[in-house]
Amino acid sequence: MRVRKNIATSDEGFLFNPTTGDSFSTNPIGTEIILLMKKDRTSKDIVDAICEKYDVDRALFERDLDDFTLQLKEFSLLE
Amino acid sequence: MEKQRYERPVILKMNTGLMNKFGTKTENEPVTHIESVPVKSLLSEYGSPLFVISEKQIRRNMQNAKRIFKTRYPKVRFAWSYKTNYMNAVCRIFHQEGSWAEVVSGFEYQKALGNGVPGEKIIFNGPDKTDEDLIAAAKNNSLIHIDHYDELYSLIRLSEELDLHPRVAIRVNMDTGIYPKWDRFGFNFENGQAWNALTRILNSKNLDLVGLHCHIGTFMLSTNAYATATRNLCELAWAAKERYNKMVEYIDLGGGFPSTNTLKGAYLPGTDTVPSIDQFADAITDVVLTYGFRQEEMPTLVLESGRALIDDAGYLLGTVLATKRLSDGRRATVLDFGLNSLFTSLWYEHKISPAKQHGSQTEEMVLFGPLCMNIDVVRESVVLPLLEKGDQLVVHKVGAYNMTQWMQFITMRPNIVLIDKDNNTHIIRKAETLEYIEQLEQIPDHLK
Amino acid sequence: MQTSTLREKFNRPLVIAVTGLNAIDSPGPGVAVIRAIRECKDFDVRIIGLSYESLEPGLYMHDIVDKTYQIPYPSGGTDSLFSRLKYIHEEEQLDVIIPNFDAELYNFMKLSSKLKEMGINTFLPEIEQFNARDKMRLSEFGKKYGMFVPKDKIIHEKRELQKLEDDFDYPMVVKGKFYDAVIARSKDQAEKAYEKILAKWGLPIIVQEFIKGTEINIAALGDGTGNVISIIPMRKLYITDKGKAWAGVTLDDDNLIELARKFIEVTKWRGGCELEVMLTSDGKPYIMEVNPRFPAWIYLTAAAGQNQPASLVKMALGEKVEPFTKYEVGKIFIRYAWDLITNIREFQMISANGEL
């Protein structure tokens, strides 16, 4: 799953989809995940990276990541 | 290296029509303790969900209401509205604070007697009084508030047959300018029905007219309506005095004072719009004081407040069972309590707080109860922190009507715990068990 | 001369917060209020915009509004509004707040003494004055003070529309308790209007007699003790499909001024208000509605020589303001649309951070 190349991300956690004109905001962890996705990291890489950095149960994060990905998809932010 | 605190990733579309997040900060202040008892330990000790009642808050409310009325009017009496919350422990707190009992069925009447309330301090209201109820109430010298002609004639007949001398009042309904008019109870003021009923009583040998009663509605937001009601009752009292030389001992304004809950469909929160008890007291006492009664014939003012005295003393604690995303993208949180325990979620936007500090990120969600029923919704839309399974929540102002209208449906009713004035906890009603639920059931032989 | 006292007293720009920056096709008054205030030569100002939504044009007009903060919707209640205003006050040291929406006024009135303690001044009607002109009590008000008001009925159920047919002729006006009014020409239309307004504004619904005539609006300012500071009557020359004035002209009519004067005097109105008047062909001025705040066309009062918003600022700060005695008749306003250009980043900033 890859974030569309033309999605503009900002340090403040804003996203702008130039294809649709929609703007989004994310929390810091959401921004981090999107940046990893932009670098074409696999789901497993993302899970590893986040679980390394944050105090979170792996299974719980996998579930949250699925839900987050689903939303990105619904917002047409994924390729 | 120590790991950072985790927060679920969220992404929100910036939608100009959305409620901005600056509107809802107060909802997200955690409520970690009820009085001084941690929510967490309450739930681990007594299970989830759990009703919690603060004895201190009840006494504060009662003493406050009494002070407000007594500083304005010399003769005031409160009668605890049993139907609002008839847990015996709760009733006894009100009785200790000097409240009489106000009941609306034989069942409630027996409960009041069981709580040690003397018969003459029980007000018996409502349309449902059997002959047995009427006889018992008359013999106990209770105050019988007559609701309709059928009851009036039953009581006249019974009192003559059995040589009883019941103390009675009539319930009066009227147009106080509010909607809906509660004209299904009592005798109508405007069309003269109330006066007819009064004359019927005043002309009877056995019935002793001691009071006049009304109850103009529930969750009243207009203090004017009480002024109108008081004026109408005073007018009836005056007429009885002038024409029959009979001054009633009391006028009973019933209940109806609101709590600060927010009604569904209300634009502004209840905490901002609900009149204070002081305002109601002003409206009522101004009328009686200036009506023209002589000092010695001033009637006692009776109030049957329920909701306003108990709602904010009750809490419902519960736990998140699951979170999910609905097909339209909305976040949904499933709780271990629903409509079955929290009946008032049908008409209130209950304030709900997280029981611990969460991150600052919030999201809009719908809160569902645990029942397999589509209508089991606790809040249709609420902004709360990012909740996970196992997170605990506190629902505020649930003391009125929930512990009497709750349903044993699909699940069993939970424990009710009272926190006393020294912050000790006591179970005042045990959680139901399968055995308790089934003890009244019987299985026909052919199904055994 | 009183005019220089404010500048001397403060020796710095006054910090004035204004709501209603939605200068859209059915505009809020905020931008017009600011324009009038900025034109006053008696003080300098820093204007703080208070917005509810991210696309209110005023918050992108950086020469009109110096800085904008989002505030919670009125339905959030006074607690959340107060905590937000407290934060804004810590950042900006506000001198005056001028709220401009009907739906928010109740909260601001409730908070006015708490705001005053913090050093923030308002100049709002008392809750009693506010309630007396409420749509739902307008007919009572008219009776009490002998003013013409349309017959109305407050209803809570759709089936009550049926019963109304005895007393009301079509067309009738179906109104929400805060906003919205629909002219219904049949039972079917009345029911549809009922549903639509119910969904948006809740109960109750007000049904009002339809009065035919010429629509006149009057902007008035009272000092709160019964004195009239300014009255400017205006006739709409051109109306949008939402019934809003797109152009209007100041009038000279003693009857209209007398009507507004009587209203201010009997209510002891404090602050700005707009009387919506229908002048029937036989010359009766019916008060259709009283808006408890400045109208969107308020700049016309400044243009005609009676700067109501600036006078309100002075009174809010405790200055004595002498009543205006004359204004220019025949001054016209023509509203126009202008496409303001900004960058997506500004939209994102206000949406996410609530400040711009």
Side-chain angles (χ1 to χ4, degrees):
Chain A
M1 90 217 118
R2 273 161 47 172
V3 172
R4 297 168 87 108
K5 280 282 177 290
N6 62 353
I7 301 291
T9 49
S10 77
D11 297 340
E12 294 109 332
F14 301 143
L15 273 75
F16 176 63
N17 182 346
T19 319
T20 62
D22 288 327
S23 285
F24 304 89
S25 72
T26 64
N27 54 352
I29 202 163
T31 313
E32 232 172 301
I33 294 168
I34 288 166
L35 289 175
L36 289 168
M37 285 177 170
K38 279 185 106 175
K39 289 183 198 154
D40 293 344
R41 296 295 187 79
T42 64
S43 287
K44 190 182 166 301
D45 285 349
I46 296 173
V47 174
D48 288 345
I50 297 293
C51 292
E52 176 70 33
K53 185 168 168 191
Y54 293 94
D55 179 22
V56 60
D57 176 71
R58 200 176 170 88
L60 174 68
F61 178 67
E62 279 175 357
R63 232 193 66 174
D64 288 346
L65 182 62
D66 281 347
D67 181 60
F68 188 63
T69 312
L70 197 73
Q71 277 197 287
L72 294 180
K73 210 166 132 191
E74 264 181 29
F75 290 146
S76 311
L77 294 168
L78 298 184
E79 277 185 353
Chain B
M1 197 184 78
E2 203 177 325
K3 290 187 177 184
Q4 293 180 23
R5 223 176 74 96
Y6 173 74
E7 180 180 79
R8 166 156 48 89
V10 283
I11 177 160
L12 296 171
K13 190 165 169 175
M14 289 179 179
N15 183 336
T16 53
L18 263 183
M19 161 77 91
N20 66 53
K21 65 179 175 181
F22 308 99
T24 46
K25 268 189 180 148
T26 47
E27 295 247 12
N28 297 323
E29 287 295 316
V31 172
T32 55
H33 291 70
I34 307 295
E35 297 298 350
S36 306
V37 188
V39 170
K40 212 171 171 174
S41 60
L42 282 166
L43 284 172
S44 67
E45 189 171 349
Y46 298 106
S48 178
L50 174 70
F51 277 102
V52 177
I53 296 174
S54 158
E55 180 174 348
K56 264 191 276 188
Q57 190 58 37
I58 294 179
R59 290 188 191 273
R60 267 197 296 262
N61 288 345
M62 192 62 237
Q63 288 159 10
N64 184 44
K66 259 201 306 206
R67 179 187 53 74
I68 288 170
F69 273 93
K70 289 201 164 161
T71 49
R72 288 168 171 78
Y73 193 79
K75 292 189 277 183
V76 179
R77 180 191 307 143
F78 281 84
W80 174 241
S81 155
Y82 264 52
K83 65 182 175 297
T84 311
N85 188 320
Y86 45 56
M87 292 303 121
N88 287 335
V90 169
C91 296
R92 282 165 193 245
I93 297 170
F94 280 104
H95 298 323
Q96 275 190 2
E97 290 291 332
S99 275
W100 291 16
E102 184 265 324
V103 303
V104 291
S105 68
F107 156 72
E108 288 188 0
Y109 188 81
Q110 293 304 324
K111 263 180 105 70
L113 289 176
N115 282 324
V117 183
E120 70 269 17
K121 294 187 175 180
I122 303 176
I123 294 171
F124 202 155
N125 278 326
D128 173 20
K129 307 181 192 86
T130 62
D131 281 2
E132 291 69 39
D133 293 336
L134 290 171
I135 293 166
K139 285 186 170 162
N140 287 329
N141 239 349
S142 299
L143 300 159
I144 302 172
H145 288 186
I146 300 167
D147 188 78
H148 43 73
Y149 277 115
D150 288 310
E151 187 171 283
L152 174 57
Y153 286 110
S154 294
L155 195 57
I156 290 173
R157 174 178 53 80
L158 290 169
S159 63
E160 283 168 3
E161 281 170 14
L162 302 169
D163 192 27
L164 299 168
H165 294 273
R167 297 194 300 153
V168 304
I170 57 160
R171 172 155 177 181
V172 182
N173 72 60
M174 59 187 80
D175 182 2
T176 55
I178 55 108
Y179 171 87
K181 265 190 278 186
W182 277 23
D183 55 0
R184 55 174 286 192
F185 303 108
F187 302 89
N188 186 255
F189 175 78
E190 286 84 9
N191 69 10
Q193 212 177 46
W195 178 249
N196 286 344
L198 279 186
T199 49
R200 186 74 195 84
I201 293 169
L202 289 164
N203 287 321
S204 77
K205 288 198 306 283
N206 295 33
L207 269 49
D208 182 14
L209 180 76
V210 289
L212 292 164
H213 171 232
C214 71
H215 182 97
I216 54 177
T218 190
F219 214 90
M220 304 293 299
L221 297 171
S222 157
T223 54
N224 263 341
Y226 280 90
T228 307
T230 310
R231 202 170 301 116
N232 289 348
L233 291 191
C234 286
E235 191 180 320
L236 287 174
W238 190 269
K241 181 181 84 130
E242 291 291 298
R243 297 194 214 169
Y244 287 85
N245 199 25
K246 171 75 187 176
M247 185 60 211
V248 294
E249 293 165 21
Y250 66 88
I251 59 170
D252 180 345
L253 270 300
F257 298 163
S259 68
T260 53
N261 262 308
T262 302
L263 287 176
K264 283 197 172 177
Y267 187 67
L268 295 169
T271 42
D272 286 331
T273 50
V274 166
S276 66
I277 293 186
D278 300 72
Q279 288 168 283
F280 287 112
D282 280 338
I284 294 168
T285 57
D286 282 355
V287 173
V288 196
L289 286 169
T290 57
Y291 199 82
F293 295 113
R294 288 199 311 276
Q295 193 63 36
E296 64 276 14
E297 64 187 14
M298 285 278 195
T300 297
L301 202 54
V302 180
L303 296 152
E304 302 168 351
S305 278
R307 192 194 309 272
L309 300 180
I310 184 77
D311 225 6
D312 66 353
Y315 300 84
L316 177 57
L317 316 184
T319 309
V320 173
L321 294 178
T323 64
K324 52 167 67 174
R325 194 163 297 283
L326 302 177
S327 61
D328 59 6
R330 273 186 306 159
R331 191 85 192 164
T333 303
V334 187
L335 309 173
D336 64 355
F337 61 86
L339 214 55
N340 51 343
S341 328
L342 193 64
F343 197 72
T344 49
S345 57
L346 281 175
W347 59 82
Y348 292 146
E349 306 276 10
H350 273 295
K351 178 179 159 141
I352 298 179
S353 307
K356 67 168 192 204
Q357 187 73 51
H358 288 256
S360 62
Q361 189 71 43
T362 57
E363 61 187 339
E364 189 184 353
M365 64 185 80
V366 48
L367 296 179
F368 291 127
L371 307 179
C372 285
M373 297 276 293
N374 202 37
I375 57 160
D376 189 24
V377 180
V378 174
R379 284 290 301 267
E380 270 118 27
S381 166
V382 62
V383 177
L384 283 170
L386 310 180
L387 298 174
E388 305 286 356
K389 175 179 163 65
D391 282 343
Q392 296 168 341
L393 296 173
V394 176
V395 189
H396 300 260
K397 299 174 200 163
V398 305
Y401 293 103
N402 283 303
M403 284 158 254
T404 48
Q405 294 190 341
W406 54 358
M407 288 174 279
Q408 187 278 303
F409 176 57
I410 299 187
T411 62
M412 289 174 289
R413 296 168 174 119
N415 277 317
I416 304 178
V417 164
L418 181 80
I419 301 178
D420 70 19
K421 56 188 194 312
D422 302 316
N423 294 323
N424 300 313
T425 53
H426 312 265
I427 292 185
I428 60 166
R429 190 179 193 272
K430 280 201 254 181
E432 289 169 345
T433 60
L434 180 62
E435 192 192 2
Y436 164 80
I437 305 280
E438 290 185 340
Q439 69 183 357
L440 299 177
E441 287 192 45
Q442 298 189 36
I443 298 182
D445 280 342
H446 73 282
L447 295 175
K448 275 182 182 163
Chain C
M1 218 171 100
Q2 63 152 7
T3 45
S4 60
T5 54
L6 271 180
R7 197 187 296 275
E8 279 163 15
K9 195 161 134 192
F10 283 86
N11 199 23
R12 61 166 172 83
L14 302 176
V15 186
I16 300 173
V18 179
T19 72
L21 305 178
N22 54 330
I24 50 169
D25 61 342
S26 180
V31 169
V33 168
I34 297 167
R35 185 177 170 201
I37 289 173
R38 280 194 181 279
E39 264 182 27
C40 181
K41 305 230 176 335
D42 302 336
F43 46 74
D44 299 319
V45 290
R46 172 173 163 79
I47 296 289
I48 305 302
L50 303 175
S51 79
Y52 291 101
E53 292 183 358
S54 317
L55 284 179
E56 294 180 24
L59 54 96
Y60 300 93
M61 301 178 181
H62 302 307
D63 49 348
I64 293 272
V65 178
D66 293 300
K67 167 109 195 222
T68 300
Y69 294 85
Q70 290 211 317
I71 55 171
Y73 277 105
S75 57
T78 51
D79 288 348
S80 55
L81 176 62
F82 185 71
S83 62
R84 183 64 177 163
L85 291 177
K86 218 167 122 188
Y87 165 78
I88 297 169
H89 188 54
E90 276 159 20
E91 301 289 309
E92 303 288 348
Q93 289 84 48
L94 304 174
D95 294 308
V96 179
I97 298 182
I98 306 178
N100 287 306
F101 282 123
D102 297 11
E104 73 188 359
L105 279 172
Y106 182 79
N107 286 344
F108 278 100
M109 288 184 303
K110 277 208 107 168
L111 288 178
S112 62
S113 56
K114 265 171 102 178
L115 293 173
K116 181 88 191 167
E117 279 169 33
M118 280 161 56
I120 306 176
N121 301 285
T122 53
F123 202 68
L124 297 168
E126 301 281 348
I127 288 190
E128 262 175 57
Q129 301 170 327
F130 179 79
N131 285 340
R133 44 72 24 211
D134 190 277
K135 275 183 220 186
M136 287 181 283
R137 301 192 194 160
L138 193 60
S139 51
E140 201 182 308
F141 177 83
K143 246 183 253 158
K144 192 168 164 194
Y145 295 111
M147 295 172 159
F148 294 112
V149 293
K151 186 167 69 177
D152 67 11
K153 174 91 182 151
I154 293 158
I155 64 173
H156 294 82
E157 282 179 60
K158 203 158 107 180
R159 65 185 165 85
E160 290 179 81
L161 283 172
Q162 180 78 46
K163 281 191 282 177
L164 283 178
E165 290 188 334
D166 300 338
D167 297 324
F168 287 79
D169 294 325
Y170 292 107
M172 56 168 78
V173 187
V174 183
K175 299 171 112 174
K177 65 178 160 181
F178 289 122
Y179 292 109
D180 270 358
V182 177
I183 296 167
R185 294 176 194 286
S186 66
K187 179 153 180 269
D188 191 44
Q189 285 183 5
E191 285 180 354
K192 281 203 183 99
Y194 180 97
E195 289 294 337
K196 187 186 140 215
I197 291 169
L198 174 69
K200 206 161 169 198
W201 298 107
L203 286 173
I205 306 286
I206 302 147
V207 175
Q208 198 176 62
E209 176 189 10
F210 180 79
I211 306 282
K212 203 165 171 289
T214 311
E215 219 178 311
I216 311 281
N217 292 27
I218 307 173
L221 180 65
D223 74 350
T225 65
N227 294 320
V228 180
I229 302 301
S230 164
I231 295 172
I232 303 281
M234 178 276 288
R235 195 194 135 188
K236 296 176 182 177
L237 292 174
Y238 187 82
I239 295 174
T240 67
D241 54 1
K242 288 191 174 170
K244 301 288 159 185
W246 208 247
V249 59
T250 55
L251 302 179
D252 177 21
D253 182 333
D254 290 345
N255 284 332
L256 292 173
I257 292 178
E258 211 32 60
L259 179 76
R261 178 178 309 281
K262 189 170 176 191
F263 173 81
I264 299 268
E265 282 173 0
V266 299
T267 56
K268 296 193 166 51
W269 192 263
R270 183 166 63 209
C273 65
E274 179 190 32
L275 306 186
E276 294 184 14
V277 176
M278 196 64 86
L279 198 58
T280 59
S281 50
D282 53 351
K284 287 184 193 145
Y286 275 81
I287 299 186
M288 305 302 290
E289 204 165 313
V290 179
N291 297 315
R293 36 97 192 140
F294 288 134
W297 55 273
I298 194 66
Y299 181 73
L300 186 65
T301 65
Q306 301 194 356
N307 191 331
Q308 292 190 2
S311 302
L312 182 137
V313 168
K314 291 176 190 171
M315 289 193 286
L317 291 168
E319 300 290 299
K320 174 113 178 83
V321 175
E322 292 301 320
F324 288 97
T325 50
K326 56 175 197 279
Y327 60 93
E328 243 181 284
V329 176
K331 269 278 183 214
I332 288 187
F333 81 90
I334 304 161
R335 196 165 281 160
Y336 69 107
W338 172 267
D339 295 349
L340 195 149
I341 303 302
T342 185
N343 195 289
I344 190 74
R345 205 185 121 78
E346 291 211 315
F347 168 70
Q348 290 174 332
M349 292 287 284
I350 185 77
S351 303
N353 303 341
E355 293 180 25
L356 182 68

Short mmCIF file of all heavy atoms in Angstrom, two decimals, chain B residues 318-321 335 356 358 386-393:
data_model
loop_
_atom_site.label_atom_id
_atom_site.label_comp_id
_atom_site.label_asym_id
_atom_site.label_seq_id
_atom_site.Cartn_x
_atom_site.Cartn_y
_atom_site.Cartn_z
N GLY B 318 -18.91 2.44 33.40
CA GLY B 318 -18.93 1.31 32.47
C GLY B 318 -17.61 1.20 31.72
O GLY B 318 -16.68 1.98 31.95
N THR B 319 -17.59 0.24 30.83
CA THR B 319 -16.34 -0.13 30.17
C THR B 319 -16.56 -0.29 28.67
O THR B 319 -17.63 -0.74 28.25
CB THR B 319 -15.83 -1.47 30.76
OG1 THR B 319 -15.80 -1.35 32.18
CG2 THR B 319 -14.45 -1.82 30.26
N VAL B 320 -15.55 0.07 27.90
CA VAL B 320 -15.62 -0.10 26.45
C VAL B 320 -15.42 -1.58 26.12
O VAL B 320 -14.44 -2.20 26.54
CB VAL B 320 -14.52 0.73 25.76
CG1 VAL B 320 -14.47 0.42 24.26
CG2 VAL B 320 -14.74 2.22 26.00
N LEU B 321 -16.38 -2.15 25.38
CA LEU B 321 -16.26 -3.55 24.98
C LEU B 321 -15.51 -3.67 23.66
O LEU B 321 -14.76 -4.61 23.44
CB LEU B 321 -17.66 -4.17 24.78
CG LEU B 321 -18.55 -4.34 26.00
CD1 LEU B 321 -19.89 -4.93 25.57
CD2 LEU B 321 -17.88 -5.24 27.03
N LEU B 335 -20.32 -0.21 24.36
CA LEU B 335 -20.14 -0.16 25.81
C LEU B 335 -20.84 -1.34 26.47
O LEU B 335 -21.71 -1.98 25.87
CB LEU B 335 -20.73 1.15 26.34
CG LEU B 335 -20.27 2.42 25.63
CD1 LEU B 335 -21.06 3.63 26.13
CD2 LEU B 335 -18.77 2.62 25.85
N LYS B 356 -9.98 8.23 32.70
CA LYS B 356 -8.55 8.49 32.87
C LYS B 356 -8.11 9.55 31.85
O LYS B 356 -8.83 9.87 30.92
CB LYS B 356 -7.75 7.20 32.66
CG LYS B 356 -7.79 6.68 31.23
CD LYS B 356 -6.76 5.58 30.99
CE LYS B 356 -6.63 5.32 29.50
NZ LYS B 356 -6.14 4.02 29.14
N HIS B 358 -6.50 10.89 28.75
CA HIS B 358 -6.09 10.40 27.43
C HIS B 358 -5.26 11.48 26.75
O HIS B 358 -5.10 12.57 27.29
CB HIS B 358 -7.33 10.11 26.58
CG HIS B 358 -8.09 8.89 27.01
ND1 HIS B 358 -8.04 7.69 26.35
CD2 HIS B 358 -8.94 8.70 28.04
CE1 HIS B 358 -8.83 6.81 26.96
NE2 HIS B 358 -9.39 7.40 27.99
N LEU B 386 -9.54 9.11 21.98
CA LEU B 386 -9.44 7.85 21.26
C LEU B 386 -9.58 6.69 22.26
O LEU B 386 -8.67 6.45 23.05
CB LEU B 386 -8.10 7.77 20.54
CG LEU B 386 -7.75 9.00 19.70
CD1 LEU B 386 -6.41 8.83 19.01
CD2 LEU B 386 -8.84 9.28 18.67
N LEU B 387 -10.71 6.03 22.24
CA LEU B 387 -10.97 4.99 23.23
C LEU B 387 -10.55 3.62 22.71
O LEU B 387 -10.60 3.36 21.51
CB LEU B 387 -12.47 4.96 23.57
CG LEU B 387 -13.04 6.24 24.21
CD1 LEU B 387 -14.55 6.13 24.35
CD2 LEU B 387 -12.39 6.49 25.57
N GLU B 388 -10.13 2.78 23.63
CA GLU B 388 -9.77 1.39 23.29
C GLU B 388 -10.59 0.46 24.17
O GLU B 388 -11.10 0.86 25.21
CB GLU B 388 -8.27 1.14 23.59
CG GLU B 388 -7.31 2.08 22.92
CD GLU B 388 -7.14 1.82 21.42
OE1 GLU B 388 -7.74 0.83 20.92
OE2 GLU B 388 -6.44 2.60 20.77
N LYS B 389 -10.65 -0.79 23.75
CA LYS B 389 -11.30 -1.81 24.57
C LYS B 389 -10.73 -1.75 26.00
O LYS B 389 -9.52 -1.63 26.18
CB LYS B 389 -11.01 -3.18 23.95
CG LYS B 389 -11.53 -4.37 24.75
CD LYS B 389 -11.19 -5.66 24.01
CE LYS B 389 -11.29 -6.90 24.91
NZ LYS B 389 -12.64 -7.16 25.38
N GLY B 390 -11.61 -1.82 26.97
CA GLY B 390 -11.16 -1.82 28.36
C GLY B 390 -11.15 -0.44 29.00
O GLY B 390 -11.11 -0.33 30.23
N ASP B 391 -11.19 0.63 28.21
CA ASP B 391 -11.24 1.98 28.79
C ASP B 391 -12.55 2.16 29.56
O ASP B 391 -13.59 1.64 29.16
CB ASP B 391 -11.15 3.05 27.68
CG ASP B 391 -9.72 3.23 27.19
OD1 ASP B 391 -8.80 2.78 27.90
OD2 ASP B 391 -9.55 3.78 26.09
N GLN B 392 -12.46 2.93 30.63
CA GLN B 392 -13.64 3.11 31.47
C GLN B 392 -14.24 4.51 31.29
O GLN B 392 -13.52 5.47 31.04
CB GLN B 392 -13.24 2.87 32.94
CG GLN B 392 -12.80 1.43 33.14
CD GLN B 392 -12.12 1.19 34.46
OE1 GLN B 392 -11.66 2.12 35.13
NE2 GLN B 392 -12.06 -0.08 34.86
N LEU B 393 -15.55 4.56 31.42
CA LEU B 393 -16.27 5.82 31.22
C LEU B 393 -17.19 6.10 32.41
O LEU B 393 -17.60 5.18 33.11
CB LEU B 393 -17.13 5.74 29.95
CG LEU B 393 -16.39 5.59 28.62
CD1 LEU B 393 -17.39 5.37 27.50
CD2 LEU B 393 -15.53 6.82 28.34
#
